[in-house]
Each structure stands twice: as C-alpha cells, then as structure tokens.
Amino acid sequence: MMTPQEEQEKLLEEALTVVRTQSFQMKRCLDKSKLMDGLKHASNMLSELRTSLLSPKSYYELYMAISDELCHLETYLLDEFSKGRKVTDLYELVQYAGNIIPRLYLLITVGVVYIKSNELSRKDILKDLVEMCRGVQHPLRGLFLRNYLLQCTKNVLPDAEEDAEGGEVSVMSHAAPRAIAGLNKMVNSSDADAGTVRDSIDFIQLNFAEMNKLWVRMQHQGHSRDREKREQERRELRILVGTNLVRLSQLECVDVEKYKKLVLPGVLEQVVSCKDAIAQEYLMECVIQVFPDEYHLQTLNSFLHACVDLHPDVNIKNVIIALIDRLAQFSRKGDVARTIPMEIQLFDIFSQQISLIIQNRPDMPPEDIVSLQVALINLALKCYPTKLDYVDKVLETTEEIFHRLNLDHLDAASAVSRELARLMKIPIDSYNNVLELLKLEHYGPLMEYFDYQARKSISTHLILNALENETVIPSPEQVEGILNIVGPLVQDQSDQPEMDDEEDFAEEQGYMGRFIHLLSGDTPDQQYLVLSTARKHFGNGGNRRIRHTLPPIVFAAYRLALKYYQLREEDEKWEKKCGKIFQFCHQTIGALMKAELTELPLRLFLQGALVISQLDFENHETVAYEFMSQAFTLYEDEISDSKAQLAAITLIVSTFEKISCFGEENHEPLRTQCTLAASKLLKKPDQCRGVVVCSHMFWSGKSKDRAGKELRDGKRVVECLKKAGRIANQCMDKSVQVQLYVEILNSQIYFYENGCSEIQVSSINELIAKIREDLPNLESNDESDQINKHFANTITHLKIAKLQSSSNFSYDGLDP
C-alpha cells in the first residue's frame, strides 16, 4: 500500500503526463495554424486543473507546468491579432471549452491578449474578468485561477492619474458577473476606455477580497482531526493572496494620499472582517513589508486601530514588532539618519496603542507583553536617541505591568525573564555608556524583578560593556548608583545559591577588579571620595569577593598618593592627604588579613612601603616602617609552609633593598631581622638560599643616612656567602649540596664583578675546585644534568670574562 506522499507523486505524474501530451498536440496544431484544434488541446490540458485529489503543493506544480504552456498560446494569439484576426472570431473559438475551469483560463488568456493589442477597453475587460472568476468557488482551484489572472494582468494594469482621463473615475461596483453576451457587446463597443490607477486599485482589491475568502474557507473543509494539516496547507498558499498586496504596492501612481484614502482602508476592512487568525496575521505583516515606510508613517493610527480589532488568536506581538522594527530601521536607512516628521509623534502613538492592545487582551502572555516593550524601546533609541525620558517611560510601563501581574523573582530560564533581559540589555548596548543608565529612574527597580542568576547575568553584561568602552566613572554618586545596580557582583544576595561555580565566580570578580580601575575622579580629592565609596561597597562583599576587589582599590589609592606628590606645589595639604590615603590602605589591607588571607596582604604592605619610600611627606619613614613591620608580622605569624616562607622572605628582602627612606636607626634592625628570618628557615637548602638573598641587601640596600646611596658593605656580603657555604655543607643530599654551591658561586661572581673587593679570586677558585670534585659523584639523572649545565655555563662566562679586560675587576689567577 502506498503512502500518502507516494500517492500524491503518482497522481501528479499522471496529470503532468497528460499536460505534456496535450501541450505537444496544442503546439503542433498551432504551428499548422489549426487554432480550433489547438484550443481544444489547450482545454484538455487545462481540464487537469479540475482535480480535487492533489495536495496544494502538488497542485501548484501542476499549475506552474500548465502556466508555462499557456505562455506559448498567448504568444501565438498576439501574433494572430497582428495578422488581423477578429476579436469575435477568436472569442467564439474560446467558448468551445466545455468546463468552467478551462473556459475561464482561456478567457483570461484571450482577454489579456485583447488588452495588449489595444483593441478593447482595458478597464472594462479587467472588470469583467475579475467578476467572471467568481464562477469557481472551490477554494484551491479558485485561488490558483485568480492567481493566474493576477499574473497575466501584471503588466497591463492601468497606472495613469485620474486627471489624465479628463475626469474622476467612479469606484467599481461589485455587481454580479456579466453574461457572455455582455462581453460580446463590450467587444463590439467603440467607446474604448484605457482606465486609470483607480480602476487597477478596484480590480486588485476585488480580486484580493475574493481570494482571501477562498483562502479562509479552506479552514472549514474536511474533518476536524485534519485541522493542523489544513492550517499547514493554508500557510503554503498564503503567498498567492499576498501577491495582490504586492501588485498594489507596484502601482506607481499610488501616492500617500491614494494609499491613505483608497488602498489601506479597503485592505484593512477585508482583513478585519474575515475574522481568521492565520489570514489576519499574515496579511497585516504583508502590508507592513510591501508598502513604503513613508506610507506607514502617514497611516499609523489607522493601522494600529485595526490591530486592536483583530482576532484574539492573532499573535499581535509579531505584527506590532514588525511595524516598529520597520519604522525604526527607516530612520537609519543607508547609514544616514532620517528625521521622523515633527507632526508624527511616533513613540506616543505606539505607546498608547500598545497599552490599548494589552488592555483588550487580558490573556496575553507576559513574555509577549515584554516583547512589545522591547520593540518600543528599540524604536525610542533608534528614532529618538537623545530622549532618555522615552526609554525610561518604557521601563516604567514594564514595571507597572509586572506589579499589576504580581510577577517577582522571575526564573532566569523562563520566557518572560529572557524577554525582560533583552529589554534591559538594549539600553546598555545602545548607549555604550553605563552613566546613561543612571539617568533612567526605573532601570534599577526593574532589575529587582529578576532572580539571582538573571540579575548576575545582566550585571556582568553591564560591567563588560563598561570595560569594552572604557567608560570612566568620575563621581562618588555615580559609583554608588552603578554598584547598586550590579549588586550581585558586589555583595552576597539573599536569594543566591549556596555555592556558585568557582571558575565563573573568579571570572566575574576579575571583571569587577578591572572595573575598579575605571573609577577615576576628575580631581585627586574627588578620586579619594570615589575610592572611599567603592571601598564601602566592596568591603561588604564577603571573604570570597574581597580578595579580587580590594587589591585594585589599594593600588588605585597608591596611584592617588603619587598624584598628590606630583601636585605638592599646588596643594599645601598634600602631606596630610597622603597620610590619610595610607591609613585608608592600611585599613583595607587589614580587611584582607581578617579574611584569613596571607600572601596578598603581605604583597600589598610591601608595595605600599615601596610607594611611601618615593614620597617625602611628614612621618613617611614611620609609615613605611609600619608597613614593613606588618609584612614581617604576617610572615612570622601566618606563613608556615617552607616554600612559601622562602618566597616571602625573598620578597621582603627584595622590597627592603629598594627602599631608601629609612635612617640607620630603622634600617639596621630590619636588615638584622631579615637575615635572622632567613637563617631560621626550616630546611637547610632554604636557609642557604635565604642567606644568599640577604647578602644583596648589604650590598645594594639604601638608607637615608647615606643620601640614598648603596651600602656596599662587602664585609657583610662575604659573611653571608660564607654562612651560606657552611649551611650548604650541612646538606645530606649531595645533588642539592652541589646545586647550592653552584648558586653561591654565581653570587660570588656577581659581587666580584660589581666591585666587591672583599671577595678574592682564590675563594672563587676554591669553590670551583670543590664543585668539580663533587660533580662526578652525582647519580646520572635529570637533576644532575641540570646542575652540570648550570656549572658549565658559569665556567664559560668566567672564561669569556677573563679574556675581556675590565676596569672594575680582573680575573688574574683564576683557574676556570
């Protein structure tokens, strides 16, 4: 048994076989000038269109095949007219068609030939043909017949102004079709009338009305269980009805006034009166697409009033959005901004009509309501980019609707939440300036209708937009406003889940850390207020957040202190302000310490000491000492891991080496403390390396008593290196011991080449000999290979240095 699709294919192929046979016979007869026989074969071919067995898709294929063949007949008939054949003779031949379908197709073909030959009144022929097509009331056959009429008359419709005809042309009466005798009388009439654009409008509108009725009637044929199938078939045929509107739009003489008075009222009357949701939605969208934007602007109220009267099942959202988007794009066509005429209050009209539609449709889904607001806000931003009050009015209306519907904490996955998120993101992407959002009074309150995930998503979108556009936030009030809007990224929320994804959380907080660098006041004093406001908000972010957000605030404060120092000639109070800034930083870093963080506060204290060292303000040495002592306290109390201790003491010594603001009174105990801390590390290799690092402090460290010059204490350097050697000698692991010797050797070479006279070439030779003695005893592995490479590179350096003369050092006596 065949499937429905196979059955359709078989029926179509059988019909096409008949068409091919009859069209071949028709052409052969016409070539032999046997017109009557040719028309008989044409009639037989057209009889295939009488079938009710084909689906719309298959019927369309059959119709197209027959239409192509009828073009050959039309060409032949035009040629016959040029040879002088009489109208009446040709018309008699056409009437040999025994059935109404073939007869009407042939009459349309002949009628168009008459018009093209200018032998008859174009106006009357068109009127008569469109009315005679009423003889076919089967929906499918009638639709294609009228579509054939529309296609054939495409290039012969009158398109002249009414005045050119010497007077007004009355509106065509939709009377009953004339009899065939009436057509003969019309053919013999000598009173020809070419017609005007008004006749074309009447012709198309009548054809449109009849086609729409046939199209709607399809919905009510057959069993109710086949409803979805019929709806799908109707959607496949909709372009046949819509073509009428395309023809109306192609009439050159239809200007705005004719469109307003003749075209649109007739179309809307037919659309509204048909009371069919599928037809109404398609045809309204069709009107929007085929007619020019200027026409829509002049007929906006009429169109929107008709929208209010549409069937409740019509998805009115799609219609309104299509119109709004079309007019919004109109103002930006060709990359040239167009101005909407002042007398057309576009936004107000749409706003009022949308409110009316929402009132008249109490069952409209909330997501559709929000979609309308999305379209409205797009209109406001594209057509009136400078009018923030329009955007805010949309937000206010949306807030009122949500309040009325008792919607709250919308699930991020829901349709209404997604639409509202679109609405909220449009101003962000349009303005590309988050400061503009602060001017929208209802933006923040509307955010509260989302659940946590949706609020966080929009907040992230807003922050990324600020980062991308590098939007500077210059005042504490603006900082306050924005941080309130993006609250889910700043502080814990009452409705947030217990645990966010760690990677996502770190990424979001990274964005906030970058955003803090955009907080920049116009003046240093303003910047301090900005940072204080930010500190207030971010300080309440919880231990997970502050590790990402407080450090950027501290660094911004350090930059501010340097700015005050640069402006010290202009601001008498700069010293007190710098002291206040470092107090602010101390408190902020203290908050990180309370969050049980260690390395981060340690680094911030050391960075602060470095900054303070550059600023010669009152008590700066005391403040720097406090920062250094806090770093030591963290090291001693909080860091227990051996590797972390070595890294920390290395960082402390490196920082201390660069600081030049300490007098000997403070410098000496800090040096001693660093060396003592290094020598007390748990593991011997760590002790050795820590002491070597401390040696640099005695050589290139700086103090206030030496006017910022380096200490150059060679004696203490040598003591450190010797102590490092003794510690290395105590290591039990031979590989580690040799590695430490090589590192100590490199330090000796560094100090010797930098002018440390206390280091002798003989001591370098001794260490080289010691390393050479121990290297062969190491086990062969990756670690020993690295040690050998390190030592070989060191020896190569010494050989090159020995060959090159230098005023700072000499390697005479060196035995590399």
Side-chain angles (χ1 to χ4, degrees), residues 58 75 99 131 369 452 560 600 692 790 793:
S58 300
T75 303
N99 294 293
E131 291 188 355
I369 294 175
Y452 169 76
L560 179 59
L600 198 53
V692 169
H790 192 181
N793 289 338

Side-chain angles (χ1 to χ4, degrees), residues 626-644:
E626 169 64 18
F627 273 62
M628 286 298 296
S629 64
Q630 285 290 340
F632 263 116
T633 301
L634 279 168
Y635 168 78
E636 293 171 349
D637 297 346
E638 303 296 338
I639 301 177
S640 56
D641 180 73
S642 182
K643 286 186 178 180

